Amino acid sequence: MTVEYESHGLPLDEYQLSRADHRRQGEAEDIAAWVEREVAKAPPWSEERYQQFQELVERWTVPPPWEYMRWRVLRYCGHIQEVERHRRETRPDRGSQDKCCSECGKAPAVIVAFEVIGPVAEPPAAPREKSRNMVSRRGRMGRRTKTELEAENSALRAEVERLRRTAAE
């Protein structure tokens, strides 16, 4: 699957905020205020409910680093930062994660311009398939000699014979 990553507002340090940027920031602030009001109205969680939530979070697995792309972004507050998003995302400004500026603390601070940097990490190389005749039982690499194979064959035949006698008794 090939993903074409988008960029917007380059160069970042010369980007001028647009009406759409001001509107999106205002919407994000309105949503954050609404969420705070609703959370304040909610009853406190019981210890049991909190434990259930903790168990749910502990079962959640984080994808490996090679599943993420690094982005250079300009936030509404004017700070340029690096963020990570899943590889399948073509732009970093979708969704609601990390809307807070780590430099000034403005929350929310929407992303107004961005460019892709590259993957966070490269996937590990696929393991090479080892042929069966290249690895002995002891794990030594290299071809086994005819003598070694005959000795192993004799030992296995003797073991089979011993097991047959034991089973017959």
Side-chain angles (χ1 to χ4, degrees):
M1 170 177 85
T2 304
V3 178
E4 292 236 4
Y5 298 104
E6 300 176 33
S7 61
H8 172 72
L10 299 179
L12 298 183
D13 51 356
E14 296 177 16
Y15 182 77
Q16 298 293 314
L17 294 174
S18 67
R19 283 185 173 170
D21 297 330
H22 292 295
R23 186 186 73 248
R24 286 184 334 144
Q25 178 66 26
E27 290 171 352
E29 289 171 357
D30 291 345
I31 290 169
W34 180 85
V35 168
E36 283 186 29
R37 286 192 307 271
E38 293 302 308
V39 167
K41 294 179 196 174
W45 280 6
S46 66
E47 185 61 32
E48 178 184 348
R49 180 71 172 217
Y50 181 75
Q51 290 299 326
Q52 289 173 342
F53 177 73
Q54 285 295 102
E55 290 171 11
L56 179 67
V57 169
E58 288 170 3
R59 282 184 282 182
W60 184 67
T61 58
V62 177
W66 54 87
E67 292 288 325
Y68 290 93
M69 291 296 283
R70 288 182 317 135
W71 295 81
R72 189 169 168 252
V73 301
L74 173 67
R75 294 202 177 269
Y76 182 81
C77 58
H79 292 112
I80 295 175
Q81 300 175 330
E82 280 189 19
V83 298
E84 296 176 2
R85 296 292 186 267
H86 198 276
R87 285 185 102 112
R88 70 178 172 262
E89 297 297 330
T90 59
R91 339 171 21 123
D93 59 343
R94 296 211 172 111
S96 61
Q97 61 231 31
D98 70 15
K99 295 240 184 201
C100 179
C101 177
S102 60
E103 290 186 44
C104 68
K106 181 165 183 61
V110 297
I111 294 171
V112 295
F114 50 87
E115 64 183 336
V116 69
I117 297 173
V120 171
E122 291 299 321
R128 293 186 341 182
E129 190 85 18
K130 297 177 183 175
S131 67
R132 291 191 343 190
N133 68 345
M134 294 299 284
V135 180
S136 72
R137 287 180 177 262
R138 295 180 298 278
R140 194 183 82 212
M141 291 300 294
R143 274 190 176 276
R144 296 188 292 175
T145 65
K146 183 175 180 180
T147 308
E148 289 176 320
L149 291 171
E150 287 173 348
E152 183 180 357
N153 190 12
S154 296
L156 290 172
R157 287 179 184 274
E159 178 69 12
V160 167
E161 189 57 39
R162 184 186 65 77
L163 290 172
R164 281 189 183 149
R165 277 186 269 131
T166 304
E169 294 174 355

